[in-house]
Amino acid sequence: MLTDVQRHIVKATVPLLEAGGEALTTQFYRLMLDGHPEVRPLFNQAHQANGAQPRALANAILRYARHIDHLENLGPLAAQIVNKHVALQILPEHYPIVGRCLLQAMGEVLGPEVATQAVIDAWAAAYQQLADLLMAAEASRYEAIAMAPGGWQGARVFTVLRRVVESREITSFYLAPTDGKPVIRHLPGQYIGLRLMVNGQEIRRNYSLSAAADGTTYRISVKREPGGVASNYLHDCVVEGTQVDLFPPSGHFTLTHSPKPLVLISGGVGITPTLAMAQAALEHGGRPVVFIHYARNAQVQGFQGVLQAWRAAYPQFSSHVVHAQACHMPEQAPDAVGYPSAEHLQAWLPCNRDLDAYVLGPTPFMAFMKRTLQGLGVPAAQIHYEFFGPAEALA
């Protein structure tokens, strides 16, 4: 039970964490991953190497400490954490490991003069409060998913029905449950957790579902990342007939049904969840859909045929593709050449700016789009975005 004194101590440590939070979380990950190999499959080592995961954890810790008197002010942070945990199947037995390593790192980085026993005890109580909240929310999600039609809990074996090369970098995998039973109908924008064995080591990754729900199969469309262990394994080793373990769909970044115009803006492989959103919106009714996509060039851009087919089939659908590099083949020519600009949005957004916008792509891309959309009159509350990796601030 977190006491008033302990709550005051936690808030008082915020300036110290602001000064050295990333060093603390980097030490935390080192202690946990070196000392507890059983949790390594739950973490993407690339996000450790580039510092994204320590930065994200430091940001989450700071936000939690700042709002510890009013946790309802954490906004979407708790939902983001819960959905990521559910997709990777984080379980109650993992929380004590995290807690011990976090407190040990705090003692080692801050030193005994700052990390007194009172400070450690306060943070132990604060961590347990947060862990209890997350575990309760996750237990509820696990139960709801398992009880839903086609739902399940834990790993379920799926078979790769087919794989389709979408571009030089992106390949789609069509997955069906090996048991032949239905699957839960995911919400457009959600992702699944995938468990792989690569060179004898278990790894887990989340991949967006790139097609609308049909109750029988799932599709993921994976970009080959330089040095990416999971993506390269999928591209090089997973063929039709391969069996893989899937965890149920999760994710709070989902399409809201509305009569408002829908604008979907993506950069690179950020196109994958927007495809599912567009398909669901088009199949659901006559809502206007504007699809804007940025790619480096025609060779790496996927799904051009899909966009053309939707333009022909749905009068309420329009799409605009921008390539950073010019193309000399007329059939692959984009609508514009260059980089994201306010001029693009000014020309392509509906005149009525009372719209819903969903933005996916690299963090700087999303930050630019969020700022520009607001500048063009789109209400801030109607601009939605999601991070493929650890959540970061959109400065």
Side-chain angles (χ1 to χ4, degrees):
M1 184 69 175
L2 189 64
T3 67
D4 290 340
V5 172
Q6 289 172 330
R7 189 176 287 107
H8 176 76
I9 290 173
V10 168
K11 290 190 292 184
T13 59
V14 168
L16 298 172
L17 293 176
E18 287 177 332
E22 193 170 329
L24 186 151
T25 53
T26 298
Q27 176 69 350
F28 155 74
Y29 280 113
R30 187 190 67 78
L31 291 169
M32 184 174 62
L33 298 179
D34 288 350
H36 300 276
E38 68 272 24
V39 302
R40 287 179 191 165
L42 306 177
F43 297 91
N44 188 326
Q45 299 305 305
H47 296 156
Q48 303 297 323
N50 65 19
Q53 189 69 59
R55 283 193 298 273
L57 179 60
N59 178 60
I61 290 172
L62 285 169
R63 289 179 62 185
Y64 172 58
R66 291 192 194 103
H67 296 291
I68 199 163
D69 287 329
H70 300 282
L71 296 182
E72 67 274 11
N73 293 334
L74 286 174
L77 177 63
Q80 291 172 352
I81 293 172
V82 167
N83 279 283
K84 293 286 187 183
H85 283 188
V86 169
L88 293 172
Q89 297 289 289
I90 303 296
L91 300 174
E93 55 262 34
H94 297 132
Y95 279 89
I97 297 173
V98 172
R100 288 194 301 270
C101 293
L102 183 60
L103 295 176
Q104 183 181 343
M106 186 173 291
E108 293 177 1
V109 171
L110 299 181
E113 292 184 359
V114 176
T116 63
Q117 191 59 52
V119 169
I120 295 299
D121 289 345
W123 269 98
Y127 172 78
Q128 193 59 53
Q129 173 183 269
L130 180 60
D132 289 342
L133 290 172
L134 294 176
M135 285 189 289
E138 289 157 18
S140 177
R141 288 284 296 131
Y142 285 133
E143 182 179 4
I145 292 171
M147 296 298 293
W152 72 96
Q153 189 165 355
R156 185 175 176 186
V157 180
F158 278 65
T159 300
V160 178
L161 294 183
R162 61 191 180 105
R163 48 177 286 164
V164 177
V165 176
E166 309 286 3
S167 76
R168 183 181 293 173
E169 295 181 341
I170 298 174
T171 296
S172 290
F173 299 86
Y174 292 76
L175 307 162
T178 307
D179 59 22
K181 297 179 181 178
V183 298
I184 189 171
R185 298 182 68 90
H186 64 280
L187 300 174
Q190 287 190 312
Y191 45 81
I192 52 92
L194 188 63
R195 182 168 69 184
L196 302 169
M197 294 298 296
V198 181
N199 298 324
Q201 299 293 319
E202 178 188 343
I203 59 173
R204 302 185 188 186
R205 294 290 186 271
N206 294 332
Y207 290 106
S208 295
L209 292 157
S210 60
D214 64 10
T216 59
T217 62
Y218 294 133
R219 185 182 76 180
I220 58 174
S221 302
V222 181
K223 177 187 176 185
R224 183 193 289 272
E225 298 286 356
V229 176
S231 67
N232 280 279
Y233 176 80
L234 288 167
H235 276 253
D236 295 337
C237 302
V238 174
V239 298
E240 294 177 5
T242 299
Q243 293 185 339
V244 294
D245 288 339
L246 260 64
F247 302 124
S250 187
H252 75 291
F253 176 77
T254 56
L255 181 65
T256 300
H257 291 297
S258 164
K260 299 182 190 300
L262 173 64
V263 177
L264 302 168
I265 306 174
S266 57
V269 76
I271 194 174
T272 53
T274 61
L275 289 168
M277 290 179 170
Q279 183 183 356
L282 293 171
E283 293 176 352
H284 188 264
R287 181 183 192 183
V289 178
V290 179
F291 196 99
I292 303 172
H293 179 61
Y294 291 82
R296 293 199 314 278
N297 53 51
Q299 286 68 47
V300 300
Q301 184 217 329
F303 305 102
Q304 182 62 27
V306 173
L307 301 182
Q308 291 173 345
W310 286 345
R311 282 199 299 267
Y314 300 101
Q316 74 272 31
F317 178 80
S318 63
S319 66
H320 310 276
V321 174
V322 182
H323 292 165
Q325 301 163 357
C327 176
H328 302 293
M329 301 177 65
E331 69 275 11
Q332 294 180 320
D335 298 284
V337 176
Y339 294 95
S341 72
E343 289 72 23
H344 293 157
L345 299 187
Q346 180 71 53
W348 297 333
L349 289 182
C351 295
N352 177 10
R353 300 299 162 81
D354 183 21
L355 54 85
D356 293 320
Y358 292 78
V359 184
L360 275 297
T363 300
F365 172 87
M366 293 195 294
F368 171 82
M369 289 298 173
K370 179 184 178 185
R371 182 172 63 250
T372 305
L373 287 167
Q374 287 184 251
L376 292 173
V378 179
Q382 293 166 214
I383 303 171
H384 313 278
Y385 54 89
E386 172 72 302
F387 296 89
F388 282 139
E392 303 176 59
L394 288 190

